[in-house]
């Protein structure tokens, strides 16, 4: 086991991890943040998406040890249980999910997209979420959810 | 009224927070991790398994093999009976005994302290295999002298299912050759691929002799009964809890070999054990669907009316030894000719075992195969007689006046208006006027095409002599404060039936929706039910909850009316209140309080005490007694849809892009349009995936070619399509409120619609597409062949 120190959802955190262990396992098993999910372990599905130093990564393909000294932000984002941000509210209202297994990864990707591009068009939204697979929704309502939160932030609705 | 409202899914705010509890999030204290060693060979005899090195590892608690399970008395004998055919069966072993039949078959299991340790222990297991000649597909398996997948069978045919109506041979014989077409169509293998894999956590309490399982399953009660049988425990000693499920689509209908192995390990170790499927395990071994070939012969009149149809179906069901998925092929056969009136028909299906992976249910459940074959044949007939494809469908559709209609298979279709959905979808897609668009695009060097595809979706499967029967149960109870809890035997894999059921119960009671809670997926809390499959959750679960709610409603009405000093017939129940004609009212809280607190007082005279009611709903138009009434029908409701799409084909590369996709569906009365549409979006996108991107491939020896999602490519957002939906409602005369299932609608029509559109885009070349999926390589090859 090795010790790593990271900023997790804005707070300093020390974790003892197996050097063979991926970041998603460390987050889920050691930090007990189970919002990030595992769908493939080959960087294909995006269910494990988190932010590492402000960039989205597939945390199944990042070693926990690589997060040492860096900042990780997950879907939980340090929020009080029961509190949702505007991205999450838009997903809920637009029915942008069914089983919800992909949803935390989607939310992380959307937060990151809107941090980078305040007014993304459909093409930019599609590129921003191209790494996140959803098997339930056909992406129709996910697109609606992203448009909704974008327009709310820009005061259009 | 809440029915018909676009109410947001009840789990949305939980799962969007990342706070859902999926099976891998369940962690009892001291939980161990189980991992499975799987066969690397399509066909091999197991000479010896050396477990000493694995057992010697510090963090390994248990190693299990086929022999050790056999010694513990665990083996699954054949069960169930079938109405119209007799399959060959074998004893099933959760871990292989004697030999392996497919790549990915479970061979041994290890239990260690964590996943990293369990994987290391798998590497330490030594299996000595004698590799056997294998058959990588059904055609090879049918060759004389082919290696046999099941040693005790004379050949590789598991079941043969023929049926006939009229005399197709005579009609074909009397038809002039120009009015006959023959050919072969192929539906290749796919996998449902929910984003969350399968998984189970088992915890055994030796003091109470009680096993608790959390499972990513579609059917907790069925899993409990099957596990009890496999482990020789009383049903009452097992509790199955379904946590949040990360998608299922049929892929999690119990029971799986890994369920038995994990539960057994927990009992042996007297500690919690968790098994979570990894994607590389799922893709070869989690269960596939389709993989059916159809040799057909069709005769038709000058106007495109089909006069005779014969189909020879060969289903490659892989190694059948673990799952029940092979019944999908029976449904493919039984749904021919489906929505079309053909008086002279012969269908013969052979289910053939091979050294491919086994089948497991997937949305569509075989109906998508019949839809693809039938629609391709309809298009071919239209081309042969030189009539438009929509007109030839109209010519052959069953008309609304013929229902209930007995299919040649004997199944009885409840109702339908197939021309209606076709007419509506033509409007949505812009059918008229497309020819001009196509010509203009062509002049600009682009190839656009338009196509249609129709699907018939019998739902609510009710098999005889099976736990997957035609009933389900619900309990509706009201507390002393007037709050309502509904417990159902159906479950939700995330599609939102809990929301729809709450809407139904709230309307029936006159309750406020926010005071109705729905609890599902726990065998100790919920009444017996079959869970979710075959689009049954509202037709069965909603109806049973409605029946139970009616009894509660009646009691609230009587007691409330007495409290208001009027007759029961005079009050109405609305907004969680009982309201008299004068406007005087009493809240449900006060009425419930009276029922609980004052059972001996005036308002309760002649009223049975208590506010907890369980009712079981049974479908009326399922028929299982052919000896009595000559009828056999396992499908009570028959939804249908027609799709239309416009595609652009790049003739240099064979790449197909969908420009517009429209679908008009008819599933009777819709309880929650928001959630019904969301399911249709998902089903259509899965149908598009199976048409263009997804294919489970094997080589001739039976080695799988897709072990990750990089080779089995699911549609992502870049492949998503702007889907235009239309609705029609032909209520079922047999269900409560005319509901029909919706969960499977939309998955079958895309493949034939897309094929039809691609052919239209290439119409001047005369390209024919006979094999789905239409990958760039296949489309390109078809173009070269036509040239
Ligand atoms: S689990 Fe990381 S991308 Fe799928
Ligand atoms: S909501 Fe189920 S995978 Fe996206």
């Amino acid at each position: 086991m090795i010790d790593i120190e990271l900023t997790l959802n804005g707070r300093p955190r020390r974790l003892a991890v197996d050097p063979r262990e991926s970041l998603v396992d460390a987050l889920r098993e050691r930090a007990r943040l189970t919002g990030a999910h595992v769908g493939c372990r080959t960087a294909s599905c995006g269910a494990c998406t988190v932010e590492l130093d402000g960039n989205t990564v597939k945390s199944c393909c990042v070693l926990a040890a690589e997060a040492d000294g860096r900042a990780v932000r997950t879907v939980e984002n340090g929020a009080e249980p029961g509190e949702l941000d505007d991205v999450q509210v838009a997903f809920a209202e637009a029915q942008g999910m069914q089983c919800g297994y992909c949803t935390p990864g989607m939310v992380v990707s959307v937060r990151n997209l809107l941090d980078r591009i305040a007014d993304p068009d459909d093409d930019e939204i599609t590129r921003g979420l191209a790494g996140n697979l959803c098997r339930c929704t056909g992406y129709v309502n996910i697109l609606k959810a992203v448009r909704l939160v974008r327009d709310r932030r820009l005061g259009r609705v | 009224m809440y029915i018909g409202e676009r109410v947001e899914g009840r789990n949305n705010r939980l799962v969007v927070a990342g706070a859902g509890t999926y099976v891998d999030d369940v962690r009892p204290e001291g939980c161990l991790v189980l991992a499975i060693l799987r066969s690397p060979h399509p066909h091999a005899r197991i000479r010896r398994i050396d477990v000493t090195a694995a057992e010697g590892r510090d963090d390994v608690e248990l190693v299990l093999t086929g022999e050790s399970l056999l010694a513990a008395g665990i083996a699954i004998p054949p069960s169930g009976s079938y109405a119209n055919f007799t399959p060959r069966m074998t004893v099933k072993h959760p871990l292989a005994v004697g030999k392996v039949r497919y790549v990915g078959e479970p061979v041994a299991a290890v239990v260690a302290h964590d996943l990293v340790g369990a994987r290391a222990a798998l590497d330490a297991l030594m299996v000595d295999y004698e590799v056997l000649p294998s058959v990588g597909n059904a055609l090879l398996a049918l060759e004389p002298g082919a290696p046999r997948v099941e040693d005790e069978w004379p050949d590789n045919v598991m079941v043969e299912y023929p049926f006939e109506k009229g005399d197709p041979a005579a009609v074909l014989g009397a038809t002039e050759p120009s009015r006959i077409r023959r050919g072969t169509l192929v539906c290749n293998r796919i996998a449902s691929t929910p984003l969350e894999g399968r998984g189970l956590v088992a915890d055994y309490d030796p003091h109470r002799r009680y096993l608790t399982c959390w499972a990513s399953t579609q059917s907790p009660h069925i899993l409990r009964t099957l596990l009890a049988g496999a482990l020789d425990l009383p049903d009452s000693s097992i509790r199955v809890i379904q946590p949040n499920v990360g998608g299922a689509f049929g892929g999690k209908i119990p029971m799986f070999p890994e369920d038995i192995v994990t539960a057994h390990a927990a009992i042996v170790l007297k500690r919690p054990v968790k098994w979570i499927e990894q994607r590389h395990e799922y893709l070869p071994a989690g269960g596939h669907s389709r993989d059916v070939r159809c040799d057909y012969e069709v005769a038709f009149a000058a106007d495109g009316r089909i006069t005779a149809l014969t189909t020879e179906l060969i289903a490659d069901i892989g190694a059948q030894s673990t799952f029940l998925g092979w019944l999908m092929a029976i449904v493919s056969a039984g749904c021919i000719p489906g929505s079309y009136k053909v008086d002279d028909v012969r269908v013969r299906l052979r289910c053939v075992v091979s050294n491919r992976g086994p089948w497991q249910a997937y949305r569509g459940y075989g109906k998508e195969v019949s839809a693809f074959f039938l629609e391709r044949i309809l298009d071919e007939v239209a081309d042969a007689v030189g009539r438009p494809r929509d007109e030839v469908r109209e010519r052959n559709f069953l008309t609304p006046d013929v229902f209930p209609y007995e299919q040649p298979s004997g199944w009885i279709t409840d109702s339908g208006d197939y021309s209606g959905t076709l007419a509506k979808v033509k409007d949505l897609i812009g059918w008229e006027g497309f020819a001009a668009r196509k010509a203009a695009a062509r002049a600009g060097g682009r190839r656009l095409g338009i196509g249609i595809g129709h699907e018939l979706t019998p739902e609510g499967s009710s098999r005889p002599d099976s736990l997957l029967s035609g009933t389900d149960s619900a309990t509706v109870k009201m507390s002393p404060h007037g709050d309502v809890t509904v417990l159902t035997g159906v479950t939700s894999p995330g599609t939102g039936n809990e929301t729809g059921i709450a809407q139904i119960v709230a309307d029936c009671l006159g309750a406020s929706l926010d005071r109705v809670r729905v609890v599902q997926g726990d065998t100790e809390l919920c009444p017996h039910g079959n869970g979710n499959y075959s689009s049954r959750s509202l037709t069965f679960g909603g109806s049973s909850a409605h029946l139970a709610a009616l009894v509660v409603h009646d009691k609230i009405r009587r007691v409330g009316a007495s409290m208001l000093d009027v007759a029961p017939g005079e009050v109405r129940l609305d907004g969680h209140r009982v309201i008299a004609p004068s406007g005087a009212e009493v809240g449900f809280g006060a009425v419930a309080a009276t029922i609980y607190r004052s059972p001996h007082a005036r308002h309760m005279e002649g009223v049975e005490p208590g506010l907890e009611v369980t009712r079981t709903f049974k479908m009326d138009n399922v028929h299982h007694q052919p000896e009595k009434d000559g009828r056999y029908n396992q499908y009570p409701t028959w939804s249908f849809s027609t799709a239309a799409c416009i595609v652009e084909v790049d003739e240099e590369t064979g790449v197909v892009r969908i420009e517009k996709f429209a679908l008009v569906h008819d599933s009777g009365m819709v309880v929650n349009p928001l959630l019904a549409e969301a399911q249709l979006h998902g089903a259509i996108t899965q149908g598009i995936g199976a048409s263009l991107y997804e294919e489970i491939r094997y080589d001739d020896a039976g080695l799988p070619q897709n072990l990750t999602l990089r080779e089995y490519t699911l549609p992502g957002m870049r492949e998503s399509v702007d889907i235009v939906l239309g609705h029609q409602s032909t209520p079922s005369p047999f269900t409560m409120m005319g509901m029909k299932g919706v969960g499977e609608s939309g998955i079958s029509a895309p493949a034939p619609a897309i094929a039809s559109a691609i052919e239209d885009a290439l119409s001047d070349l005369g390209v024919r597409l006979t094999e789905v999926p239409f990958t760039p390589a296949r489309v390109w090859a078809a173009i070269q062949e036509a040239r």
Side-chain angles (χ1 to χ4, degrees):
Chain A
M1 299 297 273
I2 51 169
D3 274 349
I4 59 168
E5 279 175 37
L6 67 164
T7 307
L8 183 51
N9 291 330
R11 295 201 187 94
R13 185 77 192 259
R14 175 192 293 265
L15 292 174
V17 301
D18 188 309
R20 299 168 293 182
E21 183 170 288
S22 62
L23 178 58
V24 69
D25 289 326
L27 291 171
R28 291 177 48 79
E29 305 296 331
R30 318 243 180 233
R32 296 286 158 125
L33 292 172
T34 55
H37 297 144
V38 174
C40 67
R41 294 187 184 274
T42 55
S44 311
C45 76
C48 64
T49 305
V50 301
E51 279 186 342
L52 183 63
D53 285 347
N55 298 314
T56 54
V57 294
K58 311 277 177 84
S59 61
C60 65
C61 290
V62 174
L63 285 174
E66 289 178 79
D68 190 27
R70 303 169 76 179
V72 173
R73 196 171 285 279
T74 68
V75 67
E76 289 90 351
N77 202 14
E80 286 294 311
E83 255 176 34
L84 302 180
D85 72 3
D86 57 347
V87 174
Q88 292 166 314
V89 169
F91 265 78
E93 288 181 4
Q95 194 57 49
M97 80 285 276
Q98 285 173 43
C99 77
Y101 200 74
C102 71
T103 316
M106 291 279 179
V107 167
V108 171
S109 290
V110 173
R111 283 177 184 157
N112 186 271
L113 169 72
L114 293 176
D115 284 351
R116 289 182 290 115
I117 310 174
D119 189 10
D121 60 19
D122 284 359
D123 245 21
E124 288 167 320
I125 294 170
T126 299
R127 264 181 278 134
L129 296 184
N132 293 79
L133 294 177
C134 174
R135 193 56 160 163
C136 299
T137 63
Y139 308 95
V140 178
N141 289 347
I142 290 175
L143 182 61
K144 281 186 197 156
V146 183
R147 287 181 190 146
L148 180 62
V149 60
R150 173 198 66 193
D151 291 347
R152 277 186 179 153
R153 283 192 185 180
L154 296 173
R156 290 192 192 128
V157 287
Chain B
M1 282 290 281
Y2 297 107
I3 291 176
E5 289 288 311
R6 306 176 69 87
V7 180
E8 153 190 335
R10 294 195 147 201
N11 291 327
N12 287 7
R13 290 174 192 252
L14 171 81
V15 297
V16 80
T21 304
Y22 298 86
V23 66
D24 195 14
D25 304 331
V26 175
R27 315 189 146 69
E29 201 43 49
C31 191
L32 302 167
V33 172
L34 182 141
I36 303 268
L37 184 74
R38 294 172 184 276
S39 168
H41 301 297
H43 198 193
R45 208 160 295 290
I46 301 171
R47 284 208 198 99
R48 208 171 80 87
I49 303 179
D50 185 348
V51 300
T52 38
E55 277 181 343
R57 295 178 67 89
D58 281 350
D59 63 344
V60 169
E61 299 285 340
L62 183 69
V63 178
L64 294 169
T65 64
E67 296 299 335
S68 59
L69 290 189
L70 206 53
I74 297 175
I76 317 293
S79 75
S81 57
Y82 304 93
N84 299 320
F85 47 85
T86 309
R88 292 189 182 123
M89 300 291 236
T90 52
V91 176
K92 298 171 187 177
H93 300 286
L95 296 173
V97 171
K99 72 173 192 175
V100 290
R101 296 166 178 80
Y102 63 96
V103 171
E105 181 166 354
V107 171
V110 297
V111 181
H113 292 173
D114 57 24
L115 183 61
V116 174
R119 285 183 157 185
L122 290 184
D123 288 342
L125 283 171
M126 306 293 220
V127 186
D128 182 6
Y129 290 105
E130 174 194 343
V131 175
L132 300 171
S134 52
V135 280
N137 62 58
L139 292 184
L140 294 172
L142 283 173
E143 279 177 6
R148 278 171 296 142
V149 177
E150 300 297 339
D151 294 340
E152 315 82 55
W153 298 2
D155 55 35
N156 287 316
V157 179
M158 177 187 174
V159 64
E160 208 172 319
Y161 173 41
F163 58 86
E164 190 168 76
K165 177 186 173 189
D167 192 347
V171 177
L172 278 157
T175 304
E176 63 166 278
S178 69
R179 294 271 156 74
I180 292 178
R181 289 289 181 279
R182 294 182 184 86
T184 300
L185 295 162
V186 178
C187 266
N188 284 301
R189 199 171 258 252
I190 54 172
S192 59
T193 324
L195 211 53
E196 178 206 36
R198 298 172 291 145
L200 183 123
V201 176
D203 189 5
Y204 186 65
D205 177 345
H207 302 292
R208 296 192 300 144
R209 295 172 189 253
Y210 192 76
L211 178 71
T212 306
C213 294
W214 293 262
S216 185
T217 182
Q218 290 175 239
S219 307
H221 279 95
I222 295 178
L223 178 56
R224 177 180 71 163
T225 303
L226 294 176
L227 267 181
L231 301 170
D232 197 20
L233 289 173
D235 288 5
S236 55
S237 296
I238 301 180
R239 175 183 190 179
V240 175
I241 300 169
Q242 178 213 52
N244 289 104
V245 171
F249 318 116
K252 294 176 181 173
I253 297 176
M255 170 177 67
F256 296 100
E258 296 89 347
D259 300 337
I260 305 171
V261 176
T262 307
H264 174 69
I267 293 170
V268 171
L269 292 168
K270 304 182 179 62
R271 284 182 64 180
V273 176
K274 170 189 282 192
W275 170 69
I276 299 296
E277 179 182 58
Q278 304 296 316
R279 188 60 58 192
H280 68 273
E281 302 182 274
Y282 171 76
L283 282 169
H288 306 143
S289 79
R290 306 198 186 177
D291 211 349
V292 184
R293 169 193 176 93
C294 169
D295 293 300
Y296 64 91
E297 208 169 356
V298 60
F300 45 90
D303 62 358
R305 195 170 47 83
I306 293 178
T307 52
L309 175 67
T310 69
T311 59
E312 283 277 332
L313 306 178
I314 296 175
D316 185 334
I317 60 167
Q320 66 89 39
S321 53
T322 38
F323 303 91
L324 268 181
W326 59 272
L327 283 165
M328 282 186 283
I330 300 290
V331 176
S332 297
C335 287
I336 296 176
S339 302
Y340 300 103
K341 182 169 171 12
V342 186
D343 290 328
D344 295 275
V345 188
R346 186 166 59 81
V347 177
R348 182 169 77 122
L349 163 71
R350 279 176 296 165
C351 291
V352 178
V353 293
S354 74
N355 294 114
R356 294 185 169 202
W359 281 19
Q360 165 69 18
Y362 179 23
R363 193 182 220 167
Y365 204 78
K367 297 152 242 180
E368 74 292 344
V369 169
S370 9
F372 180 69
F373 295 160
L374 288 165
E375 295 299 301
R376 293 278 62 212
I377 291 169
L378 265 287
D379 276 358
E380 187 176 13
V381 170
D383 288 349
V385 297
R387 301 303 310 162
R389 289 163 287 170
D390 55 328
E391 181 190 308
V392 167
R393 283 178 175 77
E394 293 280 6
R395 188 95 60 224
N396 287 287
F397 273 147
L398 294 169
T399 47
D401 53 306
V402 303
F403 300 100
Y405 176 80
E406 185 171 326
Q407 297 277 341
S409 61
W411 297 345
I412 300 163
T413 306
D414 58 342
S415 66
D417 173 8
Y418 307 139
S419 295
T421 50
L422 174 58
K424 289 185 181 70
V425 85
K426 277 162 54 186
D427 278 350
L428 286 183
I429 201 77
W431 184 263
E432 311 301 337
F434 178 76
R437 257 203 81 197
K438 177 180 168 180
R442 188 79 192 100
R446 295 170 61 205
R447 285 187 170 275
L448 296 187
I450 197 166
I452 41 175
H454 175 85
E455 66 174 39
L456 183 61
T457 314
E459 289 167 329
S461 177
S462 308
R463 286 186 33 233
D465 189 22
S466 160
L467 289 170
L468 306 173
S469 65
T471 64
D472 220 287
S473 313
T475 299
V476 173
K477 50 189 189 182
M478 192 181 281
S479 75
H481 279 144
D483 295 300
V484 180
T485 302
V486 186
L487 302 129
T488 77
V490 298
T491 53
S492 173
T495 45
N497 65 58
E498 72 291 332
T499 309
I501 289 169
Q503 289 172 264
I504 291 172
V505 169
D507 273 356
C508 178
L509 289 175
S512 298
L513 188 59
D514 59 4
R515 294 188 68 180
V516 179
R517 181 176 286 276
V518 176
V519 176
Q520 302 179 299
D522 186 332
T523 55
E524 266 338 2
L525 296 177
C526 299
H528 185 95
N530 307 359
N532 82 288
Y533 57 87
S534 202
S535 317
R536 66 194 298 282
S537 301
L538 281 190
T539 47
F540 289 75
S543 298
S544 55
H546 183 83
L547 287 178
L550 280 175
V551 182
V552 174
H553 171 111
D554 191 52
K555 200 174 287 186
I556 297 289
R557 171 183 289 276
R558 286 177 64 185
V559 175
S562 169
M563 291 168 76
L564 292 167
D565 257 333
V566 294
E570 292 182 84
V571 297
R572 63 192 175 86
L573 277 60
D574 191 26
H576 232 76
R577 295 160 304 170
V578 182
I579 306 164
S582 67
E585 60 179 55
V586 54
F588 281 8
V591 179
T594 299
I595 291 171
Y596 281 99
R597 298 166 75 111
S598 309
H600 301 285
R602 177 168 69 92
H603 300 309
M604 286 292 287
E605 259 174 46
V607 179
E608 189 191 344
L611 271 177
E612 302 194 358
V613 178
T614 300
R615 284 290 178 276
T616 300
F617 174 77
K618 176 166 125 173
M619 271 293 173
D620 257 354
N621 61 330
V622 169
H623 303 285
H624 284 171
Q625 302 178 62
E627 70 285 359
K628 188 170 140 206
D629 53 15
R631 286 185 293 183
Y632 172 76
N633 183 34
Q634 74 175 61
Y635 280 114
T637 69
W638 299 61
S639 297
F640 53 94
S641 309
T642 309
C645 68
I646 296 173
V647 304
E648 177 165 1
V649 182
D650 180 338
E651 85 189 274
E652 299 308 317
T653 60
V655 168
V656 176
R657 188 183 64 84
I658 298 175
E659 182 192 274
K660 185 172 177 189
F661 195 99
L663 180 122
V664 176
H665 82 112
D666 189 328
S667 46
M669 198 273 302
V670 175
V671 174
N672 184 325
L674 177 70
L675 294 168
E677 286 166 16
Q679 285 210 67
L680 286 165
H681 295 150
I684 290 166
T685 304
Q686 290 181 358
I688 291 172
S691 305
L692 295 175
Y693 313 112
E694 299 173 36
E695 180 176 356
I696 295 279
R697 287 174 294 110
Y698 281 88
D699 72 6
D700 281 354
L703 283 169
Q705 310 293 302
N706 325 57
L707 293 174
T708 74
L709 292 181
R710 292 160 191 267
E711 299 89 30
Y712 190 74
T713 44
L714 302 177
M717 200 158 187
R718 271 187 290 229
E719 288 73 45
S720 68
V721 173
D722 182 23
I723 295 166
V724 184
L725 291 176
H727 303 280
Q728 168 177 302
S729 177
T730 310
S732 167
F734 301 104
T735 61
M736 205 163 272
M737 300 178 281
M739 288 188 289
K740 295 183 178 185
V742 75
E744 293 182 274
S745 293
I747 199 169
S748 306
I754 293 167
S756 185
I758 296 171
E759 286 184 1
D760 184 51
L762 303 165
S763 53
D764 52 316
L765 302 174
V767 165
R768 289 210 64 73
L769 292 175
T770 56
E771 191 167 345
V772 62
F774 322 115
T775 55
R778 275 201 189 98
V779 174
W780 189 82
I783 294 171
Q784 305 315 310
E785 198 178 311
R787 282 198 174 125

